[in-house]
Amino acid sequence: MKTSRRQFLKLTAAASALPFASMAASAPAVNKPIVISTWNFGKQANEEAWKILSAGGKALDAVEAGARVPEGDPKETSVGLGGLPDSDGRVTLDACIMDEQGNIGSVACLEHIVHPVSVARKVMEKTPHVMLVGEGALQFALANGFKKEKLLTKESEKAWKKWLKEKKYKPVANIENHDTIGIVALDAQGNLSGACTTSGMAYKMRGRVGDSPIIGAGLYVDNEVGAATSTGVGEEVIRIVGCHLVVELMRQGNSPEQACKMAVERIIRKNPDKAKTLQVGFLALSKSGEYGAYCLQKGFTYAVHDSAMNKLFDASSIY
Ligand code: SD4
């Protein structure tokens, strides 16, 4: 069952109205470990991440493990294996990862590899660079032991052939058509990391790259402040460098939900007409384990797993 964030806050506020004597006088408690991620499939991703976090593991390992869940699921048509292709029928993947020290790795327009998030991690750990694209990213993946596989499933191929009849590119991003997994976590040591992975907008132009592999746009982590990730029409997120903006707004004292809302409002200010029909959602986690989300259109869900719960929430929306 989904609970709205507002309902949940009411419930937890009531539960925490404890007698004065039992309240701790020391610094506010940090809610850790915790992992949050985008959309319904975030729940399974969080469960995988939680295995690592609950055993005292690192947020970096947890977000990678979580992101790999939808990547490897052929029924998820928006991430990794089974992702809907570009207009030429090619499945091209974008992913990135960022750790608590500000280390980053990213791949864009990568074909034939089921787990781009793990290739991104290898870029981070094994190269002097932060981003590899296309053929070069594939070459690097193969040289590092990743297998070349066919990512276009029968179902995705069928959907693409149907699309070819009209060939209209209409980026309607929401739960029923195209999603990205963004996942951010705070581990027991109090360190933050994040990952983001997608097959991008369905039927995009060949070579198109969205926000998801772009550090600062689709993902940002600052271990002093918090972490954020995004989903929806990447072009609009890139335009405002969305996730970096969300983290900076948290640095200024805004709550995660407030910071996400302010970033969504920035998108509207830049492009009021377009914003009425497209979807963008932000999800953020603070250094103290507080989380929140906000989106343009109703329909963006996100999953939260900490020691008290494993739940899906509906993000508040502007429209
Ligand atoms: C992109 N942000 O490629 C991704 C797609 C997405 O919900 O998140 N769709 O622009």
Side-chain angles (χ1 to χ4, degrees):
M1 200 186 71
K2 281 183 269 171
T3 315
S4 81
R5 178 153 165 81
R6 218 165 278 142
Q7 269 169 331
F8 178 73
L9 288 177
K10 260 193 221 148
L11 290 173
T12 48
S16 62
L18 296 170
F20 181 72
S22 67
M23 282 165 67
S26 53
V30 174
N31 181 23
K32 62 181 185 183
I34 177 170
V35 56
I36 63 173
S37 58
T38 55
W39 302 110
N40 291 358
F41 53 34
K43 201 155 181 248
Q44 284 82 51
N46 285 357
E47 278 158 17
E48 203 55 35
W50 187 252
K51 290 180 192 163
I52 293 170
L53 292 173
S54 58
K58 289 183 65 175
L60 179 68
D61 296 325
V63 294
E64 182 190 5
R68 286 172 63 99
V69 174
E71 279 186 344
D73 185 346
K75 289 194 285 305
E76 294 299 351
T77 57
S78 55
V79 181
L81 180 65
L84 288 169
D86 67 10
S87 56
D88 291 2
R90 306 172 81 124
V91 182
T92 65
L93 307 175
D94 297 339
C96 73
I97 194 158
M98 183 163 191
D99 74 7
E100 77 280 2
Q101 292 171 44
N103 294 314
I104 51 180
S106 161
V107 288
C109 217
L110 172 64
E111 293 180 67
H112 311 301
I113 302 292
V114 177
H115 292 299
V117 73
S118 296
V119 184
R121 182 163 177 178
K122 282 270 185 303
V123 171
M124 175 173 99
E125 291 176 344
K126 295 216 155 158
T127 79
H129 308 303
V130 297
M131 191 167 191
L132 292 178
V133 306
E135 274 300 311
L138 176 61
Q139 212 177 310
F140 171 76
L142 297 176
N144 279 276
F146 292 85
K147 298 234 154 20
K148 193 167 178 176
E149 289 180 51
K150 187 174 179 215
L151 302 183
L152 190 67
T153 55
K154 271 201 196 95
E155 291 73 22
S156 289
E157 190 171 5
K158 212 169 132 198
W160 169 62
K161 287 196 170 142
K162 195 167 161 216
W163 174 83
L164 275 180
K165 289 185 186 139
E166 285 209 7
K167 273 196 165 184
K168 269 199 200 123
Y169 178 70
K170 199 163 170 278
V172 193
N174 226 337
I175 187 160
E176 66 280 5
N177 43 57
H178 220 259
D179 324 324
T180 288
I181 183 145
I183 176 165
V184 292
L186 178 68
D187 63 27
Q189 289 71 44
N191 287 321
L192 289 157
S193 291
C196 188
T197 176
T198 189
S199 50
M201 303 303 291
Y203 319 127
K204 61 195 175 184
M205 280 175 70
R206 172 133 181 86
R208 181 266 187 189
V209 172
D211 58 326
S212 306
I214 300 185
I215 296 292
L219 177 77
Y220 198 69
V221 177
D222 185 321
N223 208 37
E224 287 176 2
V225 177
T229 188
S230 63
T231 183
V233 179
E235 282 76 2
E236 303 313 309
V237 179
I238 294 172
R239 211 182 300 286
I240 63 157
V241 200
C243 288
H244 184 259
L245 176 63
V246 171
V247 171
E248 288 308 301
L249 288 166
M250 287 197 283
R251 192 193 305 278
Q252 290 165 19
N254 296 290
S255 71
E257 180 169 330
Q258 188 61 23
C260 290
K261 183 172 187 229
M262 289 163 88
V264 168
E265 287 166 347
R266 182 82 61 95
I267 288 180
I268 300 173
R269 277 213 299 286
K270 297 270 172 213
N271 216 333
D273 288 336
K274 235 176 164 188
K276 282 185 193 133
T277 54
L278 55 82
Q279 177 65 302
V280 169
F282 291 104
L283 177 60
L285 178 65
S286 79
K287 183 76 178 164
S288 63
E290 192 192 353
Y291 57 87
Y294 220 88
C295 58
L296 273 168
Q297 319 293 334
K298 239 191 246 136
F300 170 38
T301 58
Y302 65 100
V304 178
H305 199 326
D306 63 9
S307 56
M309 67 163 159
N310 173 21
K311 270 174 108 77
L312 267 179
F313 291 94
D314 288 310
S316 300
S317 61
I318 299 275
Y319 300 115

